[in-house]
Amino acid sequence: MLRRTLASNMRAVVGVKHTVDYNIKVKVKDGKVAKDVKHSMNPFCEIATEAAMKLKEAGVVTEIVAVTIGNAKAAESLTKAMAMGADRSVHVVGEQAEIDGLETLQVAKVFAKLHEELQGDIYFMGKQAIDDDQCHVPQMVSALLNIPQGTFAAGLKVADDKSSIEVTREVDDGSQTLSMKLPAVVSCDLRLNTPRFATLPNIMKAKKKPIDKKKLSEMGIDLTPRVEVVECAQPVERQGGGKVADVDELINKLKNEAKVL
Amino acid sequence: MMRGMSRLATRGGARYKSLLTLNEDEVALQDMVKAFAKEEIAPYVMEMDEVQKMRPELIQKCFEQGLMGIETAEQYGGSDAGFFGSIIAIEELAKVDPSVSVMVDVQNTLVNNAFFRWGTDAQKEKYLRMLSTNTLGSFCLSEAGSGSDAFALKTRAEKKGDEYVINGNKMWITNSGEAGLFLVMANVDPSKGYKGITCFVVTGDNPGVRIGKKENKLGIRSSSTCEVIFEDCVVSKDAIVGELGKGYKIAIEVLNEGRIGIGSQMIGLAQGAFDTAVKYSMEREQFGQPIGTFQGMQHQQAQCATNIMAARLMVYNAARMKEAGENFVMEAAMAKLYASQVAQQVASQAVEWMGGVGFVKDYPAEKFYRDAKIGAIYEGTSNIQLQTIAKMIQSNL
């Protein structure tokens, strides 16, 4: 897929998700996660926004567009992204029932659809959302748009001619650096950066920045679910440990009680 | 009859979810200050208290975050977030460190405020900009011989041509250790009594101002409280803030508003002490159960939570009234009086709920306990608040 923007005008699109606040202790009620709790921007999406901001401050990116797919309240995370420095936002609004049933493939399809209009050069996303921990969307967007993906990014460099990037990823046996042409999707991991606190003047200025609202139901995407949630339950409470007198007793317990040997 | 009543019940009644509802910007501000306090202040609280010094990097970061010019207009480099923004910021900061909270409180509700209300355009442009960008301010009113009896101040400002020469010693001045700007109340004509009191702005580079003894305090120890000495301090007549002889008015009115700020500091302190001690009480077990689940503890915690709620409602109410341009003097006095009482009571309970660890410096409770005491003393002692309230009640009779 060829880029349609001038190399001199790089646009970063940051996908942000409005999730349950990371301080909240999630509880399961009647087989469903209790959702009437405080929500805020997904922490990995903050890292994604910061990554885009660093490029803007370096003069590499000229515009940052924050995008979210969510209910009306999700706009708070767009305001946060704009307070951190995003120039404008797109809010794909869905009814609560639509959002509750939204699957990662559908989210990815929305981003793919928005690409026609946004023409992002780099799509920044958090590596996963802390509510469902799916870790799907960046990879799916890459596949749908047939563009490269640099996932679990812990380091990022943009080539001088802005036609490609180098993404350093943390993998099981160390670090891997990939080079890829733009446009590309980058999913951000913990060690990529430390997100800035939005300064108070920027928080106040954020409300003047434009949010383009679109209806999820009018995006022309099939919202029929393909996955059925069979059960949702609180994890079993951790049982206390025990003390063993010696190695023999340990081996005995591992063999006969825990049954792992 | 029934239909009429239900019409009245819904019309205009459901505008606010609660009296504590914050608008979007206030929520965003609150979240930011909460995160900022957790990351940039919390790790250093005890150390700053021990050495009695605010980290310069922290002061710098408060400026960078826009917390030193919260209400100040954008054109002067401020954040334009309104008076309630200051109240929220002060409260959130106090939950972690009441010393940092009072630094931000004095800057915003006293020093910046004086310029908002009485500064000329030239003064606003020069000083508000300094105050929102990199200069800490102090409000120099009290002296060794004049605290509650503020108008008995002895600092003199003698007119000499187009200039004034200020001589006198101010005491108990918050932020002064790091301040670069001083608002000083001095009397230009003692024969006129308090009607000679005038407010002057003195910048730190003036050779006639210097910082004297730093007080070794019980609480809010990292907030610098020093003597400020004015010795043949020469200022031009342009340094007068407001009108000649009207400084007493500035002092009173600025402190009426600053009172709400202190109220906010106190409710933040109470909440911080409460949260830390309650959490501990649900983790610490004795006799086979968390100590917080004993009914005696539950009742104490419930009472404290109720008192904090009441104090918060009073502080928020006074703040909203001020924003709305209503007369808030009595409500502000009540809020500060009550909030400082609640802070002391809750902080004291918090120490007890934590038992032995509440008494040692390794845990936060003892600092909140020490910090709480100042609430009943500065920016108008509790007795003065009671006097103000009584006067207002009885003046309506």
Side-chain angles (χ1 to χ4, degrees):
Chain A
M1 161 150 315
L2 290 176
R3 291 168 58 199
R4 286 187 237 167
T5 54
L6 293 173
S8 54
N9 290 337
M10 250 181 95
R11 178 177 296 136
V13 176
V14 182
V16 303
K17 189 174 180 186
H18 197 58
T19 58
V20 173
D21 187 272
Y22 77 92
N23 284 313
I24 301 285
K25 279 204 169 89
V26 175
K27 295 216 159 61
V28 177
K29 273 189 213 156
D30 305 320
K32 281 203 163 77
V33 170
K35 283 231 168 113
D36 53 348
V37 293
K38 184 172 163 71
H39 280 57
S40 51
M41 192 196 285
N42 182 39
F44 293 107
C45 301
E46 285 184 23
I47 297 175
T49 310
E50 177 64 26
M53 271 309 293
K54 283 202 164 22
L55 293 184
K56 188 170 174 204
E57 283 168 349
V60 173
V61 155
T62 37
E63 193 193 20
I64 300 176
V65 185
V67 176
T68 200
I69 297 127
N71 62 16
K73 282 185 145 246
E76 282 171 29
S77 281
L78 290 178
T79 310
K80 169 116 194 238
M82 292 190 291
M84 284 174 75
D87 300 288
R88 59 184 173 96
S89 302
V90 174
H91 186 183
V92 180
V93 192
E95 298 299 315
Q96 193 57 52
E98 289 174 325
I99 300 300
D100 285 343
L102 205 54
E103 291 170 3
T104 49
L105 179 57
Q106 295 152 355
V107 172
K109 284 180 175 174
V110 171
F111 274 99
K113 188 99 209 297
L114 288 174
H115 181 67
E116 290 168 24
E117 176 193 324
L118 291 178
Q119 291 294 298
D121 295 295
I122 306 183
Y123 284 85
F124 284 106
M125 298 184 179
K127 69 168 177 180
Q128 65 202 59
I130 60 169
D131 50 7
D132 51 22
D133 282 312
Q134 301 264 41
C135 198
H136 288 172
V137 175
Q139 293 86 337
M140 287 175 167
V141 172
S142 151
L144 288 168
L145 292 176
N146 197 28
I147 59 178
Q149 57 182 266
T151 53
F152 309 105
L156 174 69
K157 264 198 236 154
V158 180
D160 288 335
D161 67 355
K162 298 192 199 175
S163 67
S164 65
I165 55 174
E166 266 184 22
V167 178
T168 303
R169 321 170 55 229
E170 286 177 354
V171 293
D172 286 344
D173 40 4
S175 293
Q176 176 194 63
T177 302
L178 301 175
S179 171
M180 58 195 77
K181 286 203 172 51
L182 296 181
V185 181
V186 175
S187 87
C188 302
D189 208 334
L190 210 51
R191 276 160 284 281
L192 179 59
N193 60 49
T194 305
R196 66 196 58 198
F197 297 111
T199 67
L200 194 43
N202 286 337
I203 290 174
M204 299 308 290
K205 284 183 197 149
K207 56 184 176 188
K208 297 186 195 140
K209 293 183 179 176
I211 302 183
D212 177 18
K213 289 200 193 286
K214 297 181 193 296
K215 274 207 172 125
L216 177 59
S217 50
E218 289 169 12
M219 299 280 307
I221 284 156
D222 180 7
L223 297 175
T224 344
R226 295 173 177 215
V227 174
E228 183 198 331
V229 174
V230 171
E231 189 194 330
C232 179
Q234 203 89 33
V236 177
E237 287 243 347
R238 187 169 183 261
Q239 304 303 311
K243 279 201 171 131
V244 293
D246 52 27
V247 175
D248 287 332
E249 199 190 334
L250 173 65
I251 294 179
N252 183 32
K253 281 194 189 261
L254 287 173
K255 217 174 185 177
N256 299 315
E257 283 181 33
K259 299 204 164 63
V260 292
L261 286 181
Chain B
M1 178 63 154
M2 288 287 274
R3 261 199 286 165
M5 279 170 74
S6 66
R7 258 213 308 274
L8 280 172
T10 48
R11 186 190 301 160
R15 229 178 311 146
Y16 307 107
K17 273 195 255 182
S18 95
L19 296 175
L20 301 174
T21 302
L22 304 179
N23 68 34
E24 253 176 41
D25 295 328
E26 289 158 353
V27 173
L29 190 163
Q30 187 184 53
D31 285 346
M32 183 271 278
V33 178
K34 205 187 281 270
F36 175 77
K38 186 172 173 194
E39 191 151 323
E40 302 288 352
I41 302 175
Y44 307 105
V45 173
M46 287 318 288
E47 174 198 313
M48 294 195 293
D49 191 66
E50 281 287 289
V51 304
Q52 298 187 71
K53 191 167 161 63
M54 189 82 63
R55 287 182 96 230
E57 302 91 324
L58 173 55
I59 303 178
Q60 162 88 351
K61 287 199 166 125
C62 288
F63 277 106
E64 283 167 14
Q65 282 303 118
L67 295 174
M68 301 304 227
I70 296 176
E71 256 184 288
T72 306
E74 214 182 304
Q75 70 184 109
Y76 304 122
S79 306
D80 218 348
F83 178 69
F84 209 85
S86 292
I87 294 306
I88 296 293
I90 292 164
E91 183 186 358
E92 285 304 318
L93 290 170
K95 288 179 186 174
V96 174
D97 190 349
S99 298
V100 180
S101 176
V102 75
M103 173 180 75
V104 169
D105 165 79
V106 167
Q107 182 87 346
N108 283 282
T109 67
L110 299 185
V111 184
N112 288 346
N113 198 8
F115 286 109
F116 298 153
R117 307 245 343 241
W118 292 279
T120 61
D121 284 339
Q123 285 173 337
K124 283 179 183 171
E125 172 53 48
K126 180 170 182 194
Y127 298 115
L128 286 179
R129 186 169 294 284
M130 280 169 72
L131 292 163
S132 5
T133 320
N134 55 20
T135 307
L136 196 57
S138 274
F139 191 76
C140 306
L141 172 64
S142 295
E143 295 174 8
S146 55
S148 296
D149 190 5
F151 294 169
L153 63 88
K154 294 226 158 33
T155 300
R156 273 282 273 134
E158 271 190 79
K159 190 169 198 298
K160 294 218 162 124
D162 264 356
E163 291 173 335
Y164 285 85
V165 182
I166 305 174
N167 275 289
N169 293 8
K170 293 295 184 182
M171 221 169 134
W172 312 115
I173 309 304
T174 303
N175 288 352
S176 50
E178 295 91 3
L181 185 149
F182 305 87
L183 282 175
V184 52
M185 304 293 152
N187 202 320
V188 298
D189 186 355
S191 74
K192 292 208 169 90
Y194 69 89
K195 293 201 176 150
I197 297 175
T198 306
C199 179
F200 294 88
V201 50
V202 178
T203 46
D205 54 1
N206 188 314
V209 63
R210 72 173 195 280
I211 306 303
K213 174 189 174 216
K214 183 162 158 179
E215 302 295 342
N216 183 351
K217 306 191 298 293
L218 168 66
I220 55 164
R221 286 163 57 79
S222 64
S223 160
S224 60
T225 309
C226 311
E227 229 191 320
V228 182
I229 300 162
F230 296 89
E231 200 172 329
D232 294 330
C233 177
V234 179
V235 293
S236 92
K237 65 178 187 343
D238 294 335
I240 296 179
V241 180
E243 283 175 52
L244 195 70
K246 290 277 167 71
Y248 72 91
K249 229 173 168 284
I250 296 181
I252 300 181
E253 294 191 24
V254 143
L255 286 171
N256 277 335
E257 297 173 4
R259 217 142 272 178
I260 307 175
I262 298 301
S264 187
Q265 182 206 25
M266 289 293 121
I267 57 177
L269 188 161
Q271 193 68 56
F274 181 85
D275 289 345
T276 198
V278 168
K279 181 165 181 283
Y280 177 84
S281 76
M282 299 309 278
E283 290 166 355
R284 164 77 172 179
E285 290 196 7
Q286 290 286 267
F287 308 110
Q289 66 190 82
I291 58 176
T293 57
F294 288 109
Q295 195 175 59
M297 291 282 275
Q298 289 175 327
H299 285 188
Q300 288 177 346
Q301 290 178 2
Q303 186 64 63
C304 283
T306 304
N307 295 350
I308 297 174
M309 171 73 80
R312 180 170 290 122
L313 284 162
M314 291 181 75
V315 171
Y316 282 20
N317 180 53
R320 292 295 188 200
M321 286 178 77
K322 176 195 174 317
E323 276 193 326
E326 299 288 299
N327 186 343
F328 62 89
V329 175
M330 185 178 75
E331 286 80 1
M334 288 174 161
K336 195 247 185 197
L337 172 72
Y338 189 65
S340 60
Q341 289 168 349
V342 169
Q344 279 191 64
Q345 184 238 336
V346 173
S348 180
Q349 289 267 252
V351 170
E352 286 185 44
W353 294 339
M354 292 182 78
V357 309
F359 204 68
V360 298
K361 287 185 180 288
D362 307 69
Y363 289 78
E366 62 81 35
K367 178 175 181 291
F368 282 119
Y369 177 74
R370 287 184 288 108
D371 288 349
K373 200 70 208 173
I374 194 65
I377 299 171
Y378 65 6
E379 293 211 25
T381 65
S382 290
N383 280 345
I384 293 295
Q385 304 305 334
L386 287 163
Q387 207 57 42
T388 302
I389 297 165
K391 209 163 101 179
M392 306 214 72
I393 297 168
Q394 297 191 340
S395 70
N396 287 332
L397 297 172

